[in-house]
Amino acid sequence: MKKIRKCLFPAAGYGTRFLPATKAMPKEMLPVMTKPLIQYGVEEAVDAGLDTMAIITGRGKRAIEDHFDISYELEHQIRGTSKEPLLAEIRALIDRCTFTYTRQIEMKGLGDAILKGEVLIGDEPFAVLLADDLCDNPAGDGVLKQMMKIFDKYRCSIVAVQEVPREETSKYGVIAGREIDEGIYMVDEMVEKPDPEEAPSNLAIIGRYILTPDIFDKIRKTEPGKGGEIQITDALMAQASAGMVIAYRFEGQRFDCGSIDGFVQAVNYFYDKNSDGCKV
Ligand code: G1P
């Protein structure tokens, strides 16, 4: 099987929970300290050894493309000034990665968004990163890098999971499986956003996946599920039934930056982490 080089970023959603902030600005551009959410995601992917960022956008998302491009006027203006280092990090990312884009025309679910990425991914395994799940692991490898190591061993699709309170299962895809190694589960059940009484466990999928390319055919065969949308969870369940899917209880912190509470927690966390308060 080919090496993983590409990371898919589904970024077409409206971000209605942050209205009016997201009326004219993509939710992926909301800043935590001085960096937009999606930049943290790209940095995590680069740190995991990936060099091609495949971004699924939609209407009103052009700021994402502009962010990962050179701004000649701005760079010219601040060249030689004390502000110049502030652009160094993003410039390094732009120089190291290739960014590719396609649009999801209609919002038909995360599975559909990932299927739209097939044209950018092709026939190779790839990572998926949902930028509003902001992760950090100060003690070691980032979450995607941890998953890449597990992929090297198992060569199948992998979902990152964390334990959540029972009453929150209806916000997530939830798995059940057999723990075959510490924190590594062979998945035998996967349900999208189950009510707590129906959830097969409290292990919730968070926005990090490694997918083998046969997932695209599985998505094509997936009927609309929860909320009438094409769910990646259902396509992964088909993969698990036909072969093998691993769930991995990752090490580190995760903030649900798709919610106001999680977003504020992330801002506080990164503020505290960087005691000078202006750089992360
Ligand atoms: C999506 C997935 C869900 C997963 C979640 C992680 O849901 O459908 O299985 O648990 O991301 O953030 P969303 O939050 O987009 O509704």
Side-chain angles (χ1 to χ4, degrees):
M1 204 185 284
K2 290 180 192 155
K3 193 169 170 285
I4 302 181
R5 299 179 300 126
K6 298 180 182 175
C7 187
L8 190 72
F9 293 79
Y14 296 125
T16 46
R17 269 181 277 179
F18 283 89
L19 283 170
T22 48
K23 185 169 174 237
M25 184 183 77
K27 64 174 172 151
E28 295 76 13
M29 292 300 294
L30 289 169
V32 170
M33 307 293 292
T34 56
K35 288 192 291 204
L37 280 172
I38 194 161
Q39 186 175 335
Y40 288 90
V42 170
E43 286 174 356
E44 187 183 324
V46 168
D47 178 55
L50 310 183
D51 63 12
T52 302
M53 308 300 144
I55 305 182
I56 311 297
T57 64
R59 286 177 293 283
K61 298 282 185 166
R62 285 172 66 168
I64 297 176
E65 291 175 53
D66 289 338
H67 186 70
F68 295 113
D69 195 355
I70 290 169
S71 169
Y72 283 105
E73 304 84 69
L74 185 60
E75 291 191 19
H76 176 75
Q77 281 291 329
I78 67 174
R79 189 162 304 135
T81 74
S82 61
K83 306 273 187 222
E84 197 171 355
L86 299 177
L87 285 181
E89 243 181 345
I90 179 71
R91 185 60 205 248
L93 278 188
I94 294 166
D95 290 342
R96 279 179 76 167
C97 307
T98 302
F99 292 87
T100 63
Y101 300 89
T102 191
R103 281 192 181 203
Q104 185 186 19
I105 306 295
E106 287 176 279
M107 300 300 120
K108 291 197 281 189
L110 181 57
D112 179 67
I114 292 173
L115 184 57
K116 290 289 174 294
E118 185 177 19
V119 65
L120 306 177
I121 299 294
D123 187 25
E124 51 188 271
F126 60 103
V128 175
L129 192 152
L130 307 184
D132 50 17
D133 277 336
L134 178 51
C135 294
D136 188 46
N137 184 27
D141 290 341
V143 178
L144 266 191
K145 193 168 182 179
Q146 295 170 37
M147 294 171 78
M148 295 282 282
K149 288 183 178 164
I150 292 169
F151 180 79
D152 280 343
K153 181 161 177 198
Y154 294 98
R155 317 300 289 177
C156 66
S157 290
I158 303 167
V159 295
V161 292
Q162 74 174 172
E163 289 185 39
V164 297
R166 269 268 164 189
E167 59 274 18
E168 288 184 16
T169 56
S170 61
K171 291 203 253 171
Y172 301 95
V174 176
I175 71 111
R178 187 162 54 87
E179 193 166 9
I180 53 173
D181 206 339
E182 205 198 328
I184 298 180
Y185 301 81
M186 184 101 81
V187 172
D188 49 38
E189 217 184 324
M190 247 177 171
V191 193
E192 180 66 7
K193 306 200 170 91
D195 289 334
E197 53 281 7
E198 274 147 32
S201 78
N202 69 336
L203 286 172
I205 302 171
I206 63 114
R208 301 290 182 279
Y209 304 78
I210 286 180
L211 301 175
T212 53
D214 55 312
I215 195 71
F216 294 124
D217 272 337
K218 294 280 187 285
I219 300 173
R220 265 188 280 277
K221 290 183 189 136
T222 300
E223 298 288 332
K226 194 89 187 183
E229 297 188 330
I230 309 284
Q231 299 295 349
I232 190 62
T233 306
D234 296 340
L236 277 160
M237 186 58 222
Q239 248 189 352
S241 304
M244 177 162 125
V245 169
I246 295 281
Y248 167 58
R249 192 156 33 80
F250 64 94
E251 284 168 23
Q253 301 256 0
R254 169 248 175 194
F255 299 97
D256 173 14
C257 290
S259 76
I260 309 280
D261 283 351
F263 186 84
V264 172
Q265 281 160 16
V267 171
N268 287 329
Y269 169 88
F270 281 98
Y271 185 83
D272 288 343
K273 185 176 168 186
N274 300 277
S275 47
D276 69 1
C278 66
K279 203 162 181 308
V280 290

